[in-house]
Amino acid sequence: MIDASLPPLPSADRPDVAARLREALLGAAFTADGLLELLGAPAYAALARSETVPALRATRGDTPLETLVRLLLLQQPVPHARVRDVLPVADCLESGWLTAVGADEVAATVDVRPYGGPDGEDWFIVSDLGCAVGGAGGIGRRAQGVVLGVGGASTTLAGITVRTPVAAALDLGTGSGIQALHAAQHATRVTATDVNPRALHIAALTLALSGAPAAELREGSLFEPLRNGETYDLIVSNPPFVISPGARLTYRDGGMGGDDLCRSLVQGAGERLNMGGFAQFLANWQHVEGEDWQERLRSWVPRGCDAWIVQRDAQDITQYAELWLRDAGDHRGDVAEYEARYDAWLDEFEARKVKSIGFGWITLRRTDAAVPSVTVEEWPHPVEQPLGDTVVAHFDRLDYLRSRDDAALLEERFRLGVEVVQEQVGLPGAEDPEHVVLRQNRGMRRATRVDTVGAGFAGVCDGSLTAGRILDAIAQLVGEDPVLLRDRTPTQIRLLVEQGFLEPAG
């Protein structure tokens, strides 16, 4: 049931109206590319910062595109006569996409934001008024039950998700439906769940307006809506991961103590994955006094799954509380109320001995391997999105390494990964560098320091010689015992392969 305290939503039972509306939007170039051309880069970028004044200034004319931007994206009332020339107004009023305002104006009932798909698709993300472009509707304090549009977290998850064709995908906590929309492009069947029925309604609107196949929508928390024995090839979730006192805002607060919601999500995913299937999440986790945060996350990984966990950022508890109090608009309200809420957050953290909060990505792959591989690392540096192929390659390399002992590894041939370069660091004029760094210019854009042997080894890896032959040549060159070099180097080779600096040559 839709929350009666919030404004009514357009009907989700009129796909014919959604199709006509979509056709009209595309006809007026109300697309991501069209917006950029109309507004210009500065005004377009300002929208992402929740600033609408430049866009309002850029849409003072009466072209169809300017009319739609003011109506649907900036939530400004527009004269009925102007809209009638662009949209099927009667259908939109009847089905609830528009509402009459005053004597001769109409206004949008939801945010509609153009969104470019990965292969150039023109999609439209629906959300509650003021929640697609923060501040566009004078959103102020966000109400319980509102549904947000696409933010940085949504696009991050979409970018890291594995996009291989699958039979069944699950978007857990779908919100406005952006992950389900992406999944519909490569999954035969998509199931989308959310604890908020309003989110399910809006997700249906997003899919319909984007011309995507409908998903199976189910209401409930975490894995509760799934049937016994129901499994998937891909599970994605941008859950309400914020660690807060209470559950004031459905879209962000998990309602469980500490990071228990994220832990429960990760631990429950293993039994819902088909063999070889991926589960990918965004999550927050606690850094607890006297506890290794990496070991904390290792304990979350379900049996039968490999895992790759990347911490992208960590904030102290004061920064974290301020971030999410501002997200809710609390800083705009009564000062005493804001301070009381701030104090409550710090009380909660102190009671749990939390010193900071980490944020990042968690990827599971179901393997049932005898010895699972669990990688937990910190990588706050820039990466190259999309990373879906990088994720697949990471787990493929784990399989490769797991199936070869050191002796077998030395019989393999390798080549440098794509766009790997070598940097030498040292004092000017020095005969030898102080250290050598291998750096990737693609994917994770990693950098790793190597010793002289490692640098020499990587430098001649072109797939023509086995690793053992290369090490024997290096041993002769540097005057080292080849047996000892063969004994100590496989560890370094494994690390270079695992991180993608070296690739098996086939």
Side-chain angles (χ1 to χ4, degrees):
M1 190 175 203
I2 301 299
D3 188 342
S5 68
L6 293 170
L9 294 171
S11 171
D13 299 323
R14 292 293 306 274
D16 57 324
V17 174
R20 286 195 289 274
L21 177 55
R22 172 178 171 78
E23 183 179 355
L25 297 180
L26 294 176
F30 186 67
T31 63
D33 290 341
L35 285 185
L36 180 59
E37 183 176 350
L38 170 68
L39 302 178
Y44 190 78
L47 287 176
R49 302 192 302 270
S50 304
E51 297 292 347
T52 59
V53 172
L56 288 167
R57 291 173 61 86
T59 54
R60 289 172 172 170
D62 59 1
T63 66
L65 181 55
E66 288 170 299
T67 297
L68 291 179
V69 171
R70 293 181 73 85
L71 176 69
L72 298 174
L73 190 58
L74 302 177
Q75 285 90 58
Q76 302 294 307
V78 176
H80 185 285
R82 284 177 59 184
V83 179
R84 186 180 55 211
D85 294 335
V86 185
L87 299 180
V89 173
D91 287 341
C92 291
L93 286 168
E94 180 188 358
S95 59
W97 287 96
L98 300 177
T99 185
V101 178
D104 61 352
E105 292 186 318
V106 295
T109 59
V110 288
D111 262 304
V112 177
R113 179 156 192 166
Y115 180 88
D119 295 316
E121 302 94 343
D122 289 313
W123 293 339
F124 301 98
I125 309 303
V126 180
S127 63
D128 271 308
L129 287 174
C131 293
V133 180
I139 185 173
R141 294 191 181 191
R142 288 179 173 161
Q144 169 79 349
V146 298
V147 180
L148 272 60
V150 177
S154 302
T155 55
T156 293
L157 179 59
I160 67 172
T161 299
V162 172
R163 296 298 175 196
T164 53
V166 295
L170 170 65
D171 176 13
L172 198 153
T174 190
S176 62
I178 179 61
Q179 308 306 329
L181 181 56
H182 275 281
Q185 311 309 303
H186 63 101
T188 303
R189 176 174 62 88
V190 177
T191 302
T193 72
D194 206 289
V195 70
N196 182 4
R198 189 176 182 87
L200 296 175
H201 189 119
I202 284 180
L205 297 176
T206 290
L207 292 167
L209 196 58
S210 297
E216 184 177 0
L217 305 174
R218 302 184 194 173
E219 182 181 347
S221 177
L222 297 178
F223 297 99
E224 291 174 0
L226 304 189
R227 306 182 185 98
N228 288 336
E230 194 170 18
T231 56
Y232 294 86
D233 306 298
L234 174 67
I235 299 173
V236 293
S237 182
N238 177 18
F241 52 64
V242 177
I243 300 171
S244 61
R248 189 157 61 100
L249 298 174
T250 305
Y251 71 87
R252 68 165 207 195
D253 299 323
M256 297 185 183
D259 51 17
D260 283 355
L261 182 134
C262 290
R263 177 186 55 79
S264 299
L265 180 62
V266 174
Q267 290 181 335
E271 63 183 6
R272 294 295 184 175
L273 280 177
N274 292 325
M275 187 61 61
F278 287 90
Q280 299 184 266
F281 316 105
L282 300 187
N284 281 189
W285 44 78
Q286 298 172 149
H287 289 213
V288 179
E289 185 178 340
E291 181 178 307
D292 185 324
W293 67 269
Q294 293 185 328
E295 289 305 313
R296 179 184 188 85
L297 290 174
R298 288 178 184 278
S299 72
W300 290 10
V301 178
R303 181 177 299 177
C305 289
D306 290 340
W308 184 19
I309 303 173
V310 182
Q311 178 169 282
R312 296 288 290 154
D313 191 18
Q315 292 184 316
D316 68 50
I317 57 175
T318 58
Q319 291 175 308
Y320 189 81
E322 291 163 14
L323 170 66
W324 294 110
L325 287 168
R326 288 179 175 274
D327 170 81
D330 291 323
H331 62 300
R332 301 190 187 101
D334 179 78
V335 173
E337 185 178 350
Y338 170 79
E339 291 177 348
R341 282 188 169 146
Y342 195 155
D343 205 40
W345 281 63
L346 297 185
D347 283 344
E348 178 81 5
F349 289 138
E350 289 177 8
R352 296 178 177 276
K353 297 183 177 180
V354 176
K355 57 185 181 179
S356 59
I357 305 294
F359 169 84
W361 321 323
I362 298 177
T363 298
L364 307 176
R365 185 189 58 164
R366 178 72 182 272
T367 63
D368 287 347
V371 182
S373 172
V374 178
T375 301
V376 183
E377 62 177 321
E378 187 169 13
W379 189 251
H381 310 293
V383 299
E384 182 190 44
Q385 287 275 35
L387 280 170
D389 289 345
T390 299
V391 171
V392 173
H394 170 85
F395 286 96
D396 286 346
R397 291 192 298 268
L398 293 182
D399 285 343
Y400 173 87
L401 292 171
R402 186 159 41 203
S403 65
R404 289 161 175 81
D405 60 18
D406 288 353
L409 195 67
L410 293 178
E411 294 302 315
E412 295 288 322
R413 291 173 169 81
F414 300 95
R415 59 174 177 264
L416 277 179
V418 178
E419 292 195 32
V420 172
V421 297
Q422 177 179 300
E423 299 175 357
Q424 297 186 169
V425 181
L427 294 174
E431 184 175 345
D432 296 313
E434 293 180 19
H435 59 262
V436 178
V437 173
L438 298 181
R439 186 179 301 277
Q440 301 168 345
N441 288 323
R442 303 293 302 273
M444 290 293 287
R445 292 179 172 164
R446 295 184 184 278
T448 189
R449 184 182 297 189
V450 292
D451 60 18
T452 304
V453 171
F457 181 87
V460 297
C461 278
D462 60 3
S464 62
L465 297 175
T466 66
R469 290 276 303 277
I470 294 173
L471 290 179
D472 290 343
I474 291 175
Q476 184 176 7
L477 184 65
V478 300
E480 186 168 342
D481 185 333
V483 175
L484 295 178
L485 193 61
R486 279 173 170 258
D487 284 344
R488 69 177 176 85
T489 307
T491 298
Q492 187 171 190
I493 295 175
R494 286 184 181 278
L495 179 62
L496 293 176
V497 172
E498 180 181 337
Q499 295 188 342
F501 292 97
L502 295 177
E503 298 175 349

